[in-house]
């Protein structure tokens, strides 16, 4: 089977009822990014940051995967699919995808403040335990923090993502403005002449003969892409 690699961003989850980050109505218009998505913001006011992610985590319980997530999962019948997502929600997994690489962490998990990438301290919260409090400590005695990659932090999953991108036969980009690195730089690792399908209702500042634009939302866009891929492969 061909390797189909799908890079997703916040736009993937819009039709499930979650916000994007940039643009009108985006999260960074409502919450200062320096406060809630940087490592300095966390050191300045850990309680505010922990509560912000508690709220986002609890919001997950009120939303569901959309049709686009489900079509991505269905593509596993025809392709060896790897989803590389910048999203911290769990909607790809709940939509049925089996290989999901989370570049920016996962809302459902917490970890140690001292040693955040040590697998020993990364734990998945039970849904009735979604409220992390100040004083809840990891096994190393440090405050439990959200397992989120903040600006200013390393992106440990990028190496595994690059390995998959290097092996891509087909590449798909859905719902990301490609503003944030290293995720946006993944396109540079594609082998020559790999077709790139871009699903986004808005235009993105990228072009080239390998790009095929599907200017639509994630659900309708994925239906269109499914038809194209099954016709061609
Ligand atoms: P952005 O908010 O930058 O971009 C969202 C993209 O989704 C835009 O290109 C929109 O046009 C598109 N979009 C809107 N509605 C859509 C729909 N119904 N279907 C498909 N696409 C739609 O979000 P990201 O690129 O994901 O990082 O942002 C990247 C990172 O920046 C995030 O992971 C987050 C943020 O800061 C961290 O928090 C570390």
């Amino acid at each position: 089977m061909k390797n189909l690699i799908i890079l997703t961003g916040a736009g993937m989850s819009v039709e499930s009822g979650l916000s994007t980050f940039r643009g009108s109505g985006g999260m960074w218009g409502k919450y200062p990014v320096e406060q809630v998505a940087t490592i300095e913001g966390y050191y300045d006011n850990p309680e505010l940051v922990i509560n912000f992610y508690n709220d986002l985590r609890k919001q997950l319980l009120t939303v569901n995967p959309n049709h686009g997530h489900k079509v991505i999962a269905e593509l596993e019948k025809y392709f060896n699919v790897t989803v590389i997502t910048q999203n911290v929600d769990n909607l790809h997994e709940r939509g049925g995808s089996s290989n999901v690489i989370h570049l920016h962490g996962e809302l459902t998990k917490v970890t140690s403040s001292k040693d955040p990438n040590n697998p020993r301290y990364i734990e998945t919260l039970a849904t009735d335990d979604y409220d992390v409090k100040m004083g809840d400590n990891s096994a190393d005695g440090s405050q439990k923090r959200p397992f989120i990659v903040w600006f200013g932090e390393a992106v440990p999953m990028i190496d595994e993502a690059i390995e998959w991108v290097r092996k891509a036969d087909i590449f798909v980009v859905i719902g990301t403005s490609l503003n944030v690195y290293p995720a946006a730089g993944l396109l540079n690792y594609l082998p020559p002449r790999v077709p790139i399908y871009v699903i986004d209702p808005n235009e993105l500042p990228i072009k080239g003969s390998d790009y095929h634009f599907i200017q639509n939302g994630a659900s309708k866009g994925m239906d269109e892409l499914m038809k194209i891929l099954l016709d061609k492969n």
Side-chain angles (χ1 to χ4, degrees):
M1 283 207 268
K2 288 186 175 171
N3 286 332
L4 173 61
I5 313 299
I6 306 183
L7 173 67
T8 69
M12 184 75 229
S13 300
V14 161
E15 290 158 20
S16 293
L18 298 180
S19 304
T20 59
F21 293 97
R22 296 168 186 80
S24 64
M27 296 266 278
W28 300 154
K30 289 182 229 153
Y31 306 94
V33 57
E34 319 73 56
Q35 225 167 51
V36 297
T38 63
I39 186 66
E40 295 82 8
Y42 178 64
Y43 289 142
D44 274 358
N45 192 344
E47 188 163 19
L48 179 137
V49 175
I50 283 171
N51 285 335
F52 173 76
Y53 289 95
N54 281 345
D55 288 347
L56 285 188
R57 191 176 299 118
K58 284 184 278 180
Q59 191 186 20
L60 274 188
L61 300 171
T62 69
V63 298
N64 289 305
N66 63 56
H67 180 69
H69 291 108
K70 291 180 191 159
V71 177
I72 291 177
E74 207 182 319
L75 281 168
E76 292 187 11
K77 286 189 206 146
Y78 312 99
F79 299 96
N80 185 23
V81 180
T82 302
V83 176
I84 302 172
T85 188
Q86 297 164 85
N87 298 345
V88 297
D89 64 50
N90 56 1
L91 294 176
H92 281 299
E93 288 89 345
R94 285 164 56 197
S97 286
S98 27
N99 303 313
V100 185
I101 298 174
H102 283 272
L103 290 177
H104 295 162
E106 292 171 74
L107 260 183
T108 54
K109 297 183 178 172
V110 289
T111 189
S112 141
S113 290
K114 250 192 232 154
D115 196 4
N117 294 312
N118 187 336
R120 187 187 298 175
Y121 303 123
I122 300 168
E123 56 175 299
T124 303
L125 297 173
T127 48
D128 56 1
D129 221 6
Y130 269 10
D131 242 334
V132 178
K133 303 251 175 346
M134 290 304 286
D136 290 350
N137 287 344
S138 277
D140 64 356
S142 70
Q143 170 67 43
K144 282 185 186 177
R145 60 162 268 187
F147 181 57
I148 300 289
V149 175
W150 289 314
F151 289 104
E153 295 194 295
V155 181
M157 294 307 286
I158 197 70
D159 294 333
E160 193 180 333
I162 289 171
E163 285 318 301
W164 278 108
V165 174
R166 286 190 201 279
K167 289 188 277 191
D169 296 303
I170 305 165
F171 194 74
V172 180
V173 178
I174 310 174
T176 170
S177 63
L178 294 173
N179 268 299
V180 174
Y181 285 77
L186 282 171
L187 288 149
N188 299 327
Y189 293 93
L190 278 171
R193 285 176 299 282
V194 166
I196 305 166
Y197 295 91
V198 180
I199 299 177
D200 202 296
N202 297 305
E203 273 181 48
L204 295 185
I206 43 175
K207 54 178 188 274
S209 57
D210 299 322
Y211 286 92
H212 307 274
F213 291 95
I214 300 177
Q215 204 169 348
N216 218 329
S219 295
K220 287 195 178 138
M222 277 311 299
D223 276 340
E224 245 178 85
L225 180 66
M226 175 75 121
K227 279 203 202 97
I228 295 171
L229 292 181
L230 294 189
D231 275 357
K232 286 202 174 167
N233 292 279

